[in-house]
Amino acid sequence: MKLLLTSVFGPFGVDDQYGRRLNVMELFHNQVTREQGLFSLRINHPSFGLYLIAENLDIPTVVLDFPTLERFVREVKKGYDYIGISSIVANFCKVKKMVEIIRELSPGTKIIIGGHCTSIPGIEKLIDCDYFSVGEGISWFRRLLGENVDKPVRHPAIYSTLNRTVMGVPQPATAGVIVPGLGCVNACSFCATSHHFQKKYVGYLNTGQELYDTLCEIERKLGCDEFFVMDENFLKNPARAQELLELMEKDGKYFYLGVFSSAETIAACGVEFMAKLGIDFVWIGVESKQSSYAKTKGIDLKFLIHELREYGIQVLGSAILFLDHHTKENIQEDIDFIIEMETDFVQFMELGPLPGTALYKEYDAAKRILAGVPYEDWHGQDKIWFRHPNFTREETNDYLKDAFIQDYQRQGPSLLRLADTSLRGYRTMKGHSDSRLNSMQNRLAERCKLIRVLFTAIEMFAENAKTRELAKYLKTEYQKEFGELNLKEKILSALVPFFAWKEREMLRKNIMRQPPTCYKTYRMPAWNPLLFFANVFRRAKVRESHLL
Ligand code: B12
Ligand code: SF4
């Protein structure tokens, strides 16, 4: 018995029969720094769910992440008893194609679809597969395979990023990923994640102790002390965070965490607490000035964000365009609102009624979901797929693109904004009376020193006045704090423009870089000649027809 767990196939971010150019497989370049040209941060993230499930089963398993179609076909031909595909709505077409391939090449294989496609109405009629797994995947799989559902969850030790470059300069992965839990109880009407887990929190690491032990274990295995915390609302459980801090303080330990947290939880915990915990990046859903979401009510977001940045915590603020109250006259107010928050990063996303959410139910009932828009277009970075009272579908992508451009023109590239936050944090920590915070200054100094080798190239390639102004200011301030570049830094600084030039050419030619295919085996039996020949025989019988 063996299982293949796979993500959908590439290429990603190109216009073809399965996908779209504006649906890039990168967080920042897709929806945050997408109009920041050469300064856009380029990062891929592995499909964490697949590794998490694989780690927690007893069955021999292979994880295939970001395959090409050809690579996927080759893998299917090996003959698996089960193949599980992780999906989101925008990749529906790819999932459908993969299922057809499996049915053709390996008819005995049981096919499972997990993830967000399972919420598509009538999915059982649209895709011919054996099981749809809605919600949490580990216990679902354990039940299917007759394994012990109550066994504690083991956390995989994997890096959170791959293929990371800054201005074309390759960067090694430095952060692990940790998944304390899934879902969020806030249940904002548009939120696919919250609804996918039935508006409940599915905890994997429920206490500070469990979290701490897991962080220590991954640190031992990967040698990293930075983590991307994959939890929709990490600070929603302040007791867990408090216990984690106490354990770190007791052992004199420092971990650095990037988290998602809603404004009301941040306000309740306090910025200084977050800094002590080692949080150095936070994603906050700002959504809209006229927000009707409870999470931002009564909170002075601008003040909060300013304070976070003073403590060296980079902030990503996300805003939604084409909410019902938006008109052509007032949408700029919301764009100004988020830009004036002065966050390091801004995500603009179109409102997207996704199946399974309360918003989808409401719009569907009101017949506001546009018929005939293929699921490949349901990704939020091009045109809306619902009827809006004040915008046509065709108008929306121009407004969205313009919002990103405004953010870039008015605030400069996020790369420089985070350089500013790191410097501000360094200065705050340097003068801080709290010994834990004070001892964090060295780490921020290290970060600043890494960033400053980019300044010369940033000045050379600057595309707007704000970039030039910020680069000049930061260069001077960094020099005041850290002195002149040493010889090694000077050499690095001289090399950056070559990488930057190459990157700019790639962008000019519209070449979309792709995540590398990753292949990882779990508990697979050693090579057995009998099995090998049985497989060759089986493969010979399979028709290699029209599939490719
Ligand atoms: C990391 C991430 C990405 C990464 C990609 C990572 C990757 N390799 O695929 C990036 C940043 C590139 C990305 C891009 C996009 N993303 Co994204 N992304 C996420 C994010 C933040 C985390 C996913 C994750 O790893 N979660 C942790 C793991 C453990 O949870 P999980 O994946 O849900 O898996 C569990 C279960 O769902 C289930 N499961 C999952 N797969 C399978 C498979 C089987 C066989 C089984 C049985 C079970 C199972 O078991 C797992 C363990 O319990 C989620 C939000 C979230 N918090 O989940 C959005 C999310 C998945 N993304 C989403 C979207 C829409 C996109 C984009 C279209 C851009 C956009 N508009 O936001 C693009 C698409 C890119 C593309 N070309 O395909 C939506 C999907 C909505 C939907 N209903 O389809 C989400 C939910 C965000 C949201 N709330 O809107 N994304
Ligand atoms: S607070 Fe964030 S994660 Fe929670 S339901 Fe709202 S949008 Fe989703």
Side-chain angles (χ1 to χ4, degrees), residues 436-454:
R436 185 170 174 85
L437 290 174
N438 189 255
S439 53
M440 284 176 170
Q441 63 175 284
N442 294 338
R443 180 166 189 276
L444 280 157
E446 266 170 44
R447 176 177 292 169
C448 290
K449 285 181 186 163
L450 280 177
I451 299 172
R452 71 179 183 155
V453 300
L454 301 173

Side-chain angles (χ1 to χ4, degrees), residues 473-485:
Y473 161 76
L474 286 169
K475 211 172 164 182
T476 318
E477 293 304 305
Y478 268 61
Q479 207 165 15
K480 274 191 213 155
E481 214 55 75
F482 307 109
E484 294 293 334
L485 298 185

Side-chain angles (χ1 to χ4, degrees), residues 184 186-188 190-191 194 232 262 295:
C184 171
N186 279 11
C188 299
F190 60 83
C191 181
S194 177
E232 284 290 75
S262 54
K295 62 187 180 182

Side-chain angles (χ1 to χ4, degrees), residues 58 77 121 137 152 158 244 269 276 316-317 321 346 384 412 416 425 455-457 462 473 483:
D58 297 332
K77 285 186 191 163
I158 52 170
L244 174 64
C269 286
K276 279 189 191 166
L316 191 160
L321 299 187
V346 177
I384 56 170
L416 284 177
F455 286 160
T456 306
Y473 161 76

Side-chain angles (χ1 to χ4, degrees), residues 263-264 284-288 291-299 301:
E264 98 283 11
I284 307 174
V286 172
E287 322 305 10
S288 161
S291 176
S292 48
Y293 305 106
K295 62 187 180 182
T296 50
K297 279 224 166 84
I299 293 167
L301 279 167

